[in-house]
Amino acid sequence: MREARFVIRKEEGRSKPWCVEISARHSETGKRQRHFFATKEEAIAKQADLRDGRRKHGETFRSISATASADAVRALKLLEAWPKATLLDAAKEFSEQREKENRSDTIGEILRAYQRARENKSPRYVNQIHQVVERLSKRAGDVPVATFDVDALEELVEAESPWT
């Protein structure tokens, strides 16, 4: 890895004349940055801090946005309840759960399959099933089965009974 250059220069006529310039390639924002200081010592300290961070953390140093960094800190706080879990483990688990949800049948599909399986019953019973399936499908038909739980069922039933 090529050593990052954080150039220090003096700009006359400014209240803080000493500038540390960070190229876009090495900036956390992806744009060129300039930090101004009153003394050369402050500028050198900032330059040393930037170089030290680059050496410790490699190319990813300062390349993660401030928002993503703050989110990562909050996520790590949540993971403290599970000492052996890492942020990468959590991201993988989240990704797997979303994939499972995407592959899951919806409530509407399950209800229609149930309805088709009962088509050979009495016409009155088939009609009752049809009415219930229609009402439930309107309220929760597009909800993946993988995300449907007791709370969702209670909310669905309490909103208005599908049988009334």
Side-chain angles (χ1 to χ4, degrees), residues 91-108:
K92 286 178 181 176
E93 183 75 24
F94 177 81
S95 180
E96 289 169 6
Q97 179 63 31
R98 287 296 166 109
E99 285 294 322
K100 185 178 178 182
E101 289 172 18
N102 289 339
R103 289 189 313 267
S104 176
D105 291 334
T106 64
I107 299 295

Side-chain angles (χ1 to χ4, degrees), residues 20-40:
V20 176
E21 195 165 317
I22 306 169
S23 67
R25 180 171 177 247
H26 299 293
S27 168
E28 63 187 31
T29 63
K31 296 181 179 180
R32 180 179 70 123
Q33 291 183 321
R34 298 182 329 158
H35 298 274
F36 292 93
F37 301 93
T39 65
K40 186 175 183 176

Side-chain angles (χ1 to χ4, degrees), residues 136 139-140 143 148-162:
L136 287 174
R139 294 188 198 126
V143 175
F148 201 71
D149 59 5
V150 173
D151 294 332
L153 179 61
E154 284 181 5
E155 188 177 309
L156 177 66
V157 172
E158 286 177 8
E160 180 183 340
S161 175

Side-chain angles (χ1 to χ4, degrees), residues 3-20:
E3 181 70 25
R5 289 188 61 219
F6 302 107
V7 178
I8 295 177
R9 59 185 166 72
K10 187 173 185 180
E11 290 188 9
E12 297 295 333
R14 298 184 68 97
S15 62
K16 295 182 177 183
W18 292 97
C19 175
V20 176

